[in-house]
Amino acid sequence: MSTSTASSSIQLLGAGQDYHILATGSRADERTRVVKHDESFGVFDPAGMIRPREGGELGIYHLGTRFLSTFEIALERRAPILLGSTVRRDGVLVAHLGSPDIPDLRGGALGRDQVHLATTSFLWNGAWYARLVVHNYARRTVELRLALSYAAD
């Protein structure tokens, strides 16, 4: 079993002062989340996304054919940090994500977990439904670019 850690950088603020480790990604996790309904199923990474990989099995399938091969969310061109996810007994995938450290944000740096993203998705009658909720916990107004990337085979 291999162990990976998130890519981080350390910035020293000065001699004798505290330091801050930038959170730039989640720990690597190879487990998948699977949802199913009738003849459709989806295989997601723990963050509820479908990231393209060589020989990857992630995707949304119907009758054995993959119809969606990529689904990714980015904040200011950065992947959100996984806080937790689960597949409920009713077949709904729920993922909680936080913003990474964004030191170069226009309007001032944004610390990790200041913006929360909750995704809820499920399959029903051959269709995939997804809901994204964004909540700002920063003590100021924050303008972020949110990007959704998707692709089909």
Side-chain angles (χ1 to χ4, degrees):
M1 179 175 170
S2 66
T3 304
S4 301
T5 57
S7 60
S8 299
S9 63
I10 297 176
Q11 292 182 336
L12 296 178
L13 299 177
Q17 293 184 4
D18 292 334
Y19 62 91
H20 179 75
I21 299 173
L22 288 178
T24 57
S26 300
R27 288 184 61 107
D29 187 343
E30 298 300 319
R31 296 174 296 168
T32 57
R33 305 290 187 262
V34 178
V35 296
K36 183 176 183 342
H37 182 261
D38 290 337
E39 297 298 320
S40 302
F41 68 94
V43 184
F44 300 86
D45 73 7
M49 295 188 223
I50 301 168
R51 299 177 203 268
R53 289 189 281 190
E54 179 82 25
E57 74 282 356
L58 301 182
I60 296 179
Y61 299 79
H62 181 70
L63 296 172
T65 300
R66 183 165 72 172
F67 283 88
L68 190 65
S69 58
T70 300
F71 175 74
E72 295 181 280
I73 300 169
L75 292 170
E76 293 294 324
R77 298 184 176 169
R78 294 166 175 88
I81 296 172
L82 174 65
L83 301 175
S85 66
T86 189
V87 176
R88 299 185 327 207
R89 288 185 181 179
D90 60 358
V92 175
L93 170 61
V94 178
H96 294 278
L97 310 167
S99 58
D101 282 308
I102 307 175
D104 57 346
L105 183 66
R106 20 180 223 292
L110 182 69
R112 68 178 160 260
D113 296 332
Q114 294 295 301
V115 174
H116 177 258
L117 299 136
T119 63
T120 306
S121 65
F122 62 92
L123 292 163
W124 186 258
N125 292 333
W128 177 56
Y129 297 88
R131 180 178 70 173
L132 175 66
V133 176
V134 181
H135 189 89
N136 178 16
Y137 287 101
R139 294 184 177 199
R140 64 183 172 97
T141 300
V142 176
E143 289 187 28
L144 290 171
R145 288 178 294 200
L146 177 92
L148 299 176
S149 300
Y150 56 92
D153 287 338

